[in-house]
Amino acid sequence: MSEDDDAVRTLLAYLGAAMVATGQPVSDVEDELAEVSTALGFPDVQIAASPTGVFLNLASGLPATFESVQGGLRLDQSAEVRSIRHRLSQSALTVTGATTELLELRQRPPRYPQWMANLGWIGIATGIALILQPGGPNVVFAAVGAVVVVVLFRLGQRFSLIATLLPTLAAFLLACGVFAAANADLLDGPLRTLLPPLAVLLPGALIVTAMSELAAGDMVAGASRLTFGLVQLLLFTLGIVAASHVVTVPAEELTNLRVDALGWWAAPLGLILISVGIGVLESPPVRLLPWITVVLVLAFAAQSFGQHVGGAPLGSFLGAVAATLGASLVEAVRPNLPRLVVFLPAFWLLVPGSLGLLSTTTLVTNPNGGGANAFGVVTVVCAIAVGLLVGAATARSFGGALDRVRRGYPLRGRGRPGRSLPR
């Protein structure tokens, strides 16, 4: 084994772990990493990606390596990972240069100071409240509740105990406040009012990614992500249920009641606040913000139309298809823009984690009606997962046709080979 082979194997391990940290499904990580390996002259690479790390070797019988995933990446870091992968595939970056960039990626500071990131978090919560529960007192509570969650999150970065208890502790404190406000007749729909301040912490994207992996045959990765996401939901639910015993609230108040008192302008303003908040909190390149906003608007419009025509499952399905197609069309129009970075913020609009929190809470506080709600959230999550798969397949077909048109080839061509066996 030559030194060059060792360097390539190390680079691929670093790159694979970084791609997993961006939130991509493991099947996409394996496929895209194999393309990079082929471009580097190793077409027989063997890769096994999981949510916690990547195993690989350059060919059967050769030495293997493992690289663990060290937490998630911000959107600006995810954009850089995509750029590194693209330049490697185009032979525009050396192995040594790519390895250096990946090692430096984790140490890159956010684009904005922490106080601005905190304001971005509050802006996202306020924007989601304007869409999810557009009532004046409800939006005010979402903004104040986001301050509480931000304080707890920053404390969790210093104290491991708070980090471990963050879901339960945040849900408990916010629920005590909103239940007390509801008892004082200051606001309606307290359970739904809880969701915007917690939305950034909720594992909605994690659960939908797990469902997508299960549908694609990645059983180990999908099952582990799904289990972790459900445990996180239960921790949030535990905090809310505990608060309902501390601050007694009538059972009929703990329902999925939507308040709509602000008018048509609440949703557009909410979308703007979410886009700006994401730009400050996640530090994506400024050139991506207009495209992120476009995909958010497409997902919201498709979801709203589907909910109006056929209810939450159809809205979730159409929203997921629109988000996937929108991000893919953006990448087709602007090939240098990272599709994943443009797409991920749409998960905060689809809010599958929020719906799951509503259902699990109702299941505990009202067992007689909670079963139907639990079935409803399973349907919604499955609808989003299927929407992602349909959108990805459609986008892949459109992208292949577009490439052939650009190269002057006929539209007829080979399809993408399917995966043979589930892992």
PDB file of all heavy atoms in Angstrom, residues 90-103:
ATOM      1  N   GLN A  90     -14.434  16.915  -9.967  1.00  0.00           N
ATOM      2  CA  GLN A  90     -14.010  17.570 -11.209  1.00  0.00           C
ATOM      3  C   GLN A  90     -12.488  17.645 -11.339  1.00  0.00           C
ATOM      4  O   GLN A  90     -11.987  18.319 -12.252  1.00  0.00           O
ATOM      5  CB  GLN A  90     -14.592  18.987 -11.257  1.00  0.00           C
ATOM      6  CG  GLN A  90     -16.106  19.040 -11.212  1.00  0.00           C
ATOM      7  CD  GLN A  90     -16.736  18.350 -12.394  1.00  0.00           C
ATOM      8  OE1 GLN A  90     -16.265  18.482 -13.522  1.00  0.00           O
ATOM      9  NE2 GLN A  90     -17.803  17.598 -12.141  1.00  0.00           N
ATOM     10  N   SER A  91     -11.769  16.993 -10.428  1.00  0.00           N
ATOM     11  CA  SER A  91     -10.295  17.008 -10.421  1.00  0.00           C
ATOM     12  C   SER A  91      -9.737  18.421 -10.332  1.00  0.00           C
ATOM     13  O   SER A  91      -8.670  18.729 -10.878  1.00  0.00           O
ATOM     14  CB  SER A  91      -9.749  16.304 -11.680  1.00  0.00           C
ATOM     15  OG  SER A  91     -10.198  14.969 -11.732  1.00  0.00           O
ATOM     16  N   ALA A  92     -10.469  19.288  -9.610  1.00  0.00           N
ATOM     17  CA  ALA A  92     -10.039  20.674  -9.441  1.00  0.00           C
ATOM     18  C   ALA A  92      -9.424  20.914  -8.071  1.00  0.00           C
ATOM     19  O   ALA A  92      -9.118  22.056  -7.735  1.00  0.00           O
ATOM     20  CB  ALA A  92     -11.226  21.617  -9.641  1.00  0.00           C
ATOM     21  N   LEU A  93      -9.224  19.837  -7.298  1.00  0.00           N
ATOM     22  CA  LEU A  93      -8.675  19.959  -5.944  1.00  0.00           C
ATOM     23  C   LEU A  93      -7.821  18.740  -5.665  1.00  0.00           C
ATOM     24  O   LEU A  93      -8.209  17.604  -5.984  1.00  0.00           O
ATOM     25  CB  LEU A  93      -9.812  20.056  -4.921  1.00  0.00           C
ATOM     26  CG  LEU A  93      -9.429  20.281  -3.457  1.00  0.00           C
ATOM     27  CD1 LEU A  93      -8.742  21.633  -3.276  1.00  0.00           C
ATOM     28  CD2 LEU A  93     -10.672  20.219  -2.578  1.00  0.00           C
ATOM     29  N   THR A  94      -6.651  18.953  -5.074  1.00  0.00           N
ATOM     30  CA  THR A  94      -5.758  17.839  -4.770  1.00  0.00           C
ATOM     31  C   THR A  94      -6.198  17.128  -3.499  1.00  0.00           C
ATOM     32  O   THR A  94      -6.967  17.673  -2.689  1.00  0.00           O
ATOM     33  CB  THR A  94      -4.318  18.334  -4.587  1.00  0.00           C
ATOM     34  OG1 THR A  94      -4.261  19.189  -3.428  1.00  0.00           O
ATOM     35  CG2 THR A  94      -3.842  19.095  -5.814  1.00  0.00           C
ATOM     36  N   VAL A  95      -5.707  15.918  -3.326  1.00  0.00           N
ATOM     37  CA  VAL A  95      -6.030  15.145  -2.131  1.00  0.00           C
ATOM     38  C   VAL A  95      -5.532  15.859  -0.881  1.00  0.00           C
ATOM     39  O   VAL A  95      -6.240  15.987   0.114  1.00  0.00           O
ATOM     40  CB  VAL A  95      -5.416  13.738  -2.236  1.00  0.00           C
ATOM     41  CG1 VAL A  95      -5.555  12.989  -0.910  1.00  0.00           C
ATOM     42  CG2 VAL A  95      -6.088  12.949  -3.362  1.00  0.00           C
ATOM     43  N   THR A  96      -4.313  16.359  -0.930  1.00  0.00           N
ATOM     44  CA  THR A  96      -3.752  17.060   0.224  1.00  0.00           C
ATOM     45  C   THR A  96      -4.534  18.330   0.535  1.00  0.00           C
ATOM     46  O   THR A  96      -4.850  18.621   1.700  1.00  0.00           O
ATOM     47  CB  THR A  96      -2.280  17.417  -0.032  1.00  0.00           C
ATOM     48  OG1 THR A  96      -1.542  16.218  -0.306  1.00  0.00           O
ATOM     49  CG2 THR A  96      -1.685  18.124   1.173  1.00  0.00           C
ATOM     50  N   GLY A  97      -4.881  19.089  -0.499  1.00  0.00           N
ATOM     51  CA  GLY A  97      -5.638  20.315  -0.291  1.00  0.00           C
ATOM     52  C   GLY A  97      -7.016  20.048   0.290  1.00  0.00           C
ATOM     53  O   GLY A  97      -7.479  20.767   1.195  1.00  0.00           O
ATOM     54  N   ALA A  98      -7.693  19.011  -0.201  1.00  0.00           N
ATOM     55  CA  ALA A  98      -9.021  18.678   0.306  1.00  0.00           C
ATOM     56  C   ALA A  98      -8.953  18.224   1.768  1.00  0.00           C
ATOM     57  O   ALA A  98      -9.804  18.592   2.587  1.00  0.00           O
ATOM     58  CB  ALA A  98      -9.642  17.584  -0.555  1.00  0.00           C
ATOM     59  N   THR A  99      -7.947  17.431   2.100  1.00  0.00           N
ATOM     60  CA  THR A  99      -7.798  16.971   3.484  1.00  0.00           C
ATOM     61  C   THR A  99      -7.571  18.152   4.419  1.00  0.00           C
ATOM     62  O   THR A  99      -8.160  18.231   5.506  1.00  0.00           O
ATOM     63  CB  THR A  99      -6.625  15.982   3.586  1.00  0.00           C
ATOM     64  OG1 THR A  99      -6.851  14.875   2.703  1.00  0.00           O
ATOM     65  CG2 THR A  99      -6.489  15.465   5.009  1.00  0.00           C
ATOM     66  N   THR A 100      -6.739  19.082   4.007  1.00  0.00           N
ATOM     67  CA  THR A 100      -6.482  20.267   4.827  1.00  0.00           C
ATOM     68  C   THR A 100      -7.756  21.083   5.045  1.00  0.00           C
ATOM     69  O   THR A 100      -8.051  21.526   6.160  1.00  0.00           O
ATOM     70  CB  THR A 100      -5.407  21.148   4.166  1.00  0.00           C
ATOM     71  OG1 THR A 100      -4.214  20.386   4.011  1.00  0.00           O
ATOM     72  CG2 THR A 100      -5.124  22.374   5.014  1.00  0.00           C
ATOM     73  N   GLU A 101      -8.544  21.271   3.978  1.00  0.00           N
ATOM     74  CA  GLU A 101      -9.780  22.042   4.099  1.00  0.00           C
ATOM     75  C   GLU A 101     -10.777  21.350   5.033  1.00  0.00           C
ATOM     76  O   GLU A 101     -11.469  22.012   5.821  1.00  0.00           O
ATOM     77  CB  GLU A 101     -10.403  22.249   2.719  1.00  0.00           C
ATOM     78  CG  GLU A 101      -9.609  23.193   1.826  1.00  0.00           C
ATOM     79  CD  GLU A 101     -10.349  23.518   0.546  1.00  0.00           C
ATOM     80  OE1 GLU A 101     -11.588  23.361   0.515  1.00  0.00           O
ATOM     81  OE2 GLU A 101      -9.696  23.920  -0.438  1.00  0.00           O
ATOM     82  N   LEU A 102     -10.862  20.038   4.964  1.00  0.00           N
ATOM     83  CA  LEU A 102     -11.796  19.310   5.824  1.00  0.00           C
ATOM     84  C   LEU A 102     -11.370  19.384   7.288  1.00  0.00           C
ATOM     85  O   LEU A 102     -12.223  19.498   8.188  1.00  0.00           O
ATOM     86  CB  LEU A 102     -11.893  17.850   5.374  1.00  0.00           C
ATOM     87  CG  LEU A 102     -12.664  17.600   4.078  1.00  0.00           C
ATOM     88  CD1 LEU A 102     -12.487  16.157   3.624  1.00  0.00           C
ATOM     89  CD2 LEU A 102     -14.146  17.913   4.269  1.00  0.00           C
ATOM     90  N   LEU A 103     -10.067  19.312   7.536  1.00  0.00           N
ATOM     91  CA  LEU A 103      -9.593  19.398   8.917  1.00  0.00           C
ATOM     92  C   LEU A 103      -9.838  20.788   9.501  1.00  0.00           C
ATOM     93  O   LEU A 103     -10.079  20.932  10.703  1.00  0.00           O
ATOM     94  CB  LEU A 103      -8.102  19.056   8.969  1.00  0.00           C
ATOM     95  CG  LEU A 103      -7.736  17.588   8.715  1.00  0.00           C
ATOM     96  CD1 LEU A 103      -6.226  17.416   8.662  1.00  0.00           C
ATOM     97  CD2 LEU A 103      -8.334  16.681   9.777  1.00  0.00           C
TER      98      LEU A 103
END
